[in-house]
Amino acid sequence: MAELLDGKALSKSIRAEVKKEVASLVEKTNKPPHLVVVLVGEDPASQSYVRAKNRACERAGIKSTIINKDESTPEAELIDLIRTLNADHDVHGILVQLPLPKHMDANKVIDTIEQNKDVDGFHPLNIAALQIGTPGVLPATPKGIMTMLESTGQSLEGKKAIVVGRSNIVGKPVLQLLLRKNATVTIAHSRTQNLADEVKAADIVVAAVGRAHMIKGDMIKPGAIVIDVGVNRVDDKLVGDVDFEAAKANASYITPVPGGVGPMTIASLLQNTVECYKILET
Ligand code: GUN
């Protein structure tokens, strides 16, 4: 029976460490780290994520501002706002909540964010740094996933890992981070043939496809570590991409949904904000 990877508890201890570090930095600089979150439109899920980020910042002593823009805001106006925030010495982190309305080009908007204020790690220069292995801001969810894997104390070296999902936000960056740990990594996606066989061969499974219970319990190799990034609403309940109840019989470690990867994303965002602050202020 698997041991639970409790993202809520791990996130709490990371947030406590961040709070301590922020307090000691502010003692020296007299200036708190400041994250600005830009939300365009009124998508309820995005509003709820943004509120959670705001609350976590404030609890850690990080100043947090939410800028709400109307759904119909022209792209040029959003880009102007980002340029203003780039130039503002009191702003250390800029996060544009995704998805953006259809009339905007998200890549163009993200390209505008100053690299050292890109707390999401989505800027092309940060993505390039991740690829090459040079210093840069890591995207929050992948960073949180790696922190969870490290918390197991298990070496990833030479292990077979499969990442199910090839998004720019999760799948592709997780591939790079697992490679850094010398895992042998496969990326599976919607066109992958014999997904079950691919997953069955893996010692580490990262599921990030966004389809409820797509990964069945009998696909999990005995002793595998299972990280479930999925958040799917089924009959008013949140469930992951992995059939948790069945998979936990085979896995050595498994993340729950909710309470697994989700809270780690916020902890990583706070770490990234402090990282950007240190680059800009110290
Ligand atoms: N929307 C869903 N996840 C994320 C994230 O990590 N960052 C941003 N900016 N938007 C998101």
Side-chain angles (χ1 to χ4, degrees):
M1 186 69 94
E3 194 174 310
L4 205 65
L5 280 173
D6 184 346
K8 224 168 140 180
L10 188 53
S11 162
K12 195 172 165 190
S13 77
I14 292 171
R15 284 183 284 123
E17 276 168 33
V18 168
K19 185 175 178 172
K20 259 198 235 160
E21 189 176 11
V22 167
S24 93
L25 285 166
V26 171
E27 208 165 282
K28 289 186 205 120
T29 59
N30 248 328
K31 184 175 178 182
H34 182 193
L35 173 69
V36 176
V37 178
V38 182
L39 173 62
V40 185
E42 290 176 3
D43 175 62
S46 290
Q47 282 176 330
S48 145
Y49 292 140
V50 163
R51 273 197 302 271
K53 288 169 185 176
N54 181 53
R55 226 177 10 247
C57 278
E58 282 174 358
R59 286 188 186 147
I62 295 171
K63 182 177 166 188
S64 158
T65 306
I66 300 172
I67 299 181
N68 262 296
K69 300 296 283 182
D70 197 83
E71 177 88 21
S72 64
T73 302
E75 183 187 85
E77 190 180 322
L78 183 63
I79 285 178
D80 273 351
L81 168 65
I82 293 170
R83 292 208 172 109
T84 306
L85 296 170
N86 284 343
D88 186 338
H89 295 299
D90 287 327
V91 173
H92 309 94
I94 303 167
L95 185 153
V96 178
Q97 187 65 28
L98 302 176
L100 285 170
K102 288 199 170 50
H103 66 277
M104 291 194 189
D105 177 349
N107 287 328
K108 195 171 156 194
V109 171
I110 290 164
D111 283 4
T112 313
I113 300 173
E114 145 80 36
Q115 184 193 0
N116 289 328
K117 296 190 180 188
D118 169 37
V119 287
D120 261 329
F122 291 171
H123 190 282
L125 289 172
N126 281 322
I127 294 169
L130 170 62
Q131 185 95 8
I132 303 165
T134 50
V137 183
L138 296 178
T141 301
K143 180 172 176 157
I145 290 169
M146 296 311 290
T147 307
M148 290 192 113
L149 286 171
E150 269 159 38
S151 78
T152 66
Q154 305 291 310
S155 165
L156 307 184
E157 183 148 327
K159 298 280 174 63
K160 279 194 164 72
I162 189 162
V163 181
V164 189
R166 55 176 156 181
S167 70
N168 289 330
I169 292 183
V170 182
K172 288 179 196 164
V174 168
L175 159 74
Q176 291 297 338
L177 294 172
L178 288 167
L179 266 182
R180 276 193 197 176
K181 295 288 177 191
N182 299 317
T184 302
V185 195
T186 300
I187 286 245
H189 46 76
S190 53
R191 308 286 169 88
T192 296
Q193 292 180 356
N194 303 322
L195 176 68
D197 289 343
E198 297 289 346
V199 176
K200 275 179 194 166
D203 304 299
I204 297 129
V205 179
V206 179
V209 259
R211 278 181 59 188
H213 291 180
M214 187 184 178
I215 308 294
K216 309 293 178 207
D218 62 5
M219 294 183 189
I220 303 299
K221 177 177 169 180
I225 302 175
V226 178
I227 308 284
D228 191 350
V229 191
V231 184
N232 311 290
R233 196 169 283 280
V234 175
D235 298 332
D236 256 10
K237 257 184 69 182
L238 291 182
V239 302
D241 292 347
V242 177
D243 183 349
F244 178 83
E245 286 306 324
K248 76 177 183 198
N250 283 340
S252 58
Y253 296 89
I254 189 167
T255 62
V257 177
V261 174
M264 294 302 295
T265 298
I266 292 201
S268 304
L269 172 67
L270 300 186
Q271 288 176 319
N272 283 351
T273 305
V274 173
E275 213 174 283
C276 290
Y277 175 86
K278 290 200 284 196
I279 291 169
L280 295 162
E281 292 289 341
T282 60

